[in-house]
Amino acid sequence: MQDYNLWADLLATFRASPDAIKALWLLVPPVFVLGVLGLAIWTLRLRIKLTSPTPSARQDRQPALVLDHADFEALTQAQGREPQMLAVPPARLSSFGDPS
């Protein structure tokens, strides 16, 4: 039995094929590599997007009203009474985040 060379047989088949098939043989491998690379990049972006920390809900809403001590004093003196503690449900306290 004679020695058989697979690469020589493939090259002979390639040379004997029509020009349209030769063009496909030359275009399909790079397009396949680009497709796999694009899929990998898309998956990586999606994974980064899903694992990144979400911004706090406070950033989406209107900023909270900030009063300093002088504003607080002016408000309490205008009402003519002592400041009082506001009743806040315990569930709302946990949504303010870490005070430190």
Side-chain angles (χ1 to χ4, degrees), residues 30-48:
V31 170
F32 176 76
V33 169
L34 288 176
V36 169
L37 184 64
L39 185 63
I41 290 172
W42 179 77
T43 305
L44 185 63
R45 282 185 180 176
L46 183 65
R47 181 173 288 193
I48 289 171

Side-chain angles (χ1 to χ4, degrees), residues 4-27:
Y4 176 73
N5 191 343
L6 177 68
W7 296 111
D9 191 28
L10 285 176
L11 185 58
T13 305
F14 179 76
R15 287 182 180 166
S17 62
D19 289 339
I21 301 298
K22 289 179 186 177
L24 285 176
W25 271 81
L26 295 175
L27 291 177

Side-chain angles (χ1 to χ4, degrees), residues 55-87:
S56 66
R58 177 64 73 185
Q59 291 175 353
D60 295 338
R61 290 191 251 149
Q62 200 173 19
L65 177 65
V66 178
L67 299 174
D68 62 358
H69 184 68
D71 292 332
F72 183 72
E73 289 292 325
L75 287 172
T76 55
Q77 288 175 2
Q79 293 178 355
R81 55 190 163 129
E82 291 295 318
Q84 298 176 355
M85 294 294 293
L86 295 175

